[in-house]
Amino acid sequence: MKKYDYIAFDLDGTLSDPEHGLVEGFIYAFKKMGVTDYGDRDSLRRFIGPSLYEVWQDEFGFTKETVVDAIEKFREYYNIYGWWDNKLYSGIPEMLRELKSRGKTVFLATSKPEDTARKIISLFELGQYFDFQGGASGDTRDHKWQVLEYSMKSVNALPESTVLIGDRMYDAEGAKKCGVDSIGVLWGHGSREELEASGFTHIVATPEELLEILK
């Protein structure tokens, strides 16, 4: 088994489940923008993980200007009520603690805005396990590969010994673009079919399985 010394984590759907707070924020934004054809609540889970700038432009035909407005409406709700409406997946603190005890460099690479991501890590008292917490920064660092590249540079990670852990196809795509391996987790928002089709290097069902790969 390949040895990974630099462990990058996605946040939403990988460390914590933000579904309720995010979905409420999506619905708030759509109502403000007059969008009515967004589907039911369950279908809105498809927007958890990817860059909203990209997927909302593609799906709803927003211009670059109106998608920015839509995301600002979303943040009106999310930045006050949504970010803490979140729950940690079982076994995550124990898994992170074990990785640090093994001497791994653990860092965050999330498409969520960096300031919000750091608040969530603090909410769950996980900051002690991270060497760096990297997130998105508007148009300059929005795609997963851009965030991953930025976070890797911040900890001087070597691509050949780095792995990104996530739950959606966007994580696998970002890892490939940065030349690193990836591990898909089945407890998040991506189905096994999505993870397999995306080409994750490994797929795991539990934090214990993940630790086995990350020896």
Side-chain angles (χ1 to χ4, degrees):
M1 183 74 70
K2 186 174 180 179
K3 187 174 186 292
Y4 300 111
D5 295 316
Y6 301 91
I7 317 298
F9 279 96
D10 173 47
L11 178 56
D12 290 347
T14 301
L15 299 177
S16 70
D17 183 1
E19 180 175 341
H20 192 266
L22 282 175
V23 167
E24 289 294 327
F26 297 157
I27 292 172
Y28 175 91
F30 294 149
K31 287 181 177 178
K32 289 283 187 177
M33 297 297 293
V35 175
T36 58
D37 58 344
Y38 53 78
D40 59 20
R41 292 185 65 91
D42 283 345
S43 72
L44 292 180
R45 296 173 73 246
R46 69 192 185 276
F47 298 133
I48 300 175
S51 160
L52 295 182
Y53 288 97
E54 185 176 359
V55 296
W56 282 6
Q57 274 189 271
D58 290 344
E59 182 145 347
F60 301 116
F62 289 140
T63 65
K64 288 184 177 180
E65 291 74 25
T66 55
V67 75
V68 169
D69 192 23
I71 291 171
E72 285 303 311
K73 296 291 190 296
F74 160 73
R75 289 176 178 161
E76 284 178 9
Y77 178 92
Y78 186 78
N79 288 348
I80 297 174
Y81 306 107
W83 69 272
W84 53 263
D85 189 2
N86 201 332
K87 59 185 180 182
L88 202 62
Y89 287 114
S90 176
I92 294 301
E94 296 82 0
M95 177 192 67
L96 293 172
R97 187 181 307 122
E98 176 61 23
L99 290 174
K100 291 307 295 178
S101 75
R102 296 177 184 179
K104 306 292 187 181
T105 297
V106 178
F107 58 101
L108 196 69
T110 173
S111 295
K112 186 179 288 298
E114 189 168 294
D115 58 343
T116 305
R118 289 174 179 245
K119 287 198 299 184
I120 292 169
I121 292 296
S122 178
L123 172 70
F124 293 123
E125 300 181 342
L126 299 178
Q128 61 189 307
Y129 304 121
F130 286 89
D131 295 278
F132 182 73
Q133 299 171 41
S137 177
D139 292 334
T140 60
R141 191 173 68 244
D142 185 51
H143 297 290
K144 191 70 179 197
W145 71 268
Q146 293 172 316
V147 176
L148 180 57
E149 181 180 67
Y150 156 73
S151 294
M152 288 175 65
K153 286 181 179 178
S154 298
V155 297
N156 298 312
L158 303 174
E160 61 271 19
S161 54
T162 297
V163 64
L164 172 66
I165 298 151
D167 70 310
R168 298 296 312 276
M169 61 182 179
Y170 312 99
D171 299 305
E173 291 168 356
K176 286 176 188 174
K177 190 150 187 175
C178 290
V180 306
D181 284 356
S182 57
I183 301 175
V185 301
L186 290 169
W187 60 78
H189 295 284
S191 65
R192 178 176 286 277
E193 291 74 19
E194 177 182 333
L195 300 190
E196 289 177 347
S198 302
F200 278 95
T201 312
H202 308 279
I203 297 175
V204 298
T206 66
E208 291 75 23
E209 285 184 34
L210 182 57
L211 283 173
E212 188 65 26
I213 291 175
L214 298 177
K215 282 185 175 178

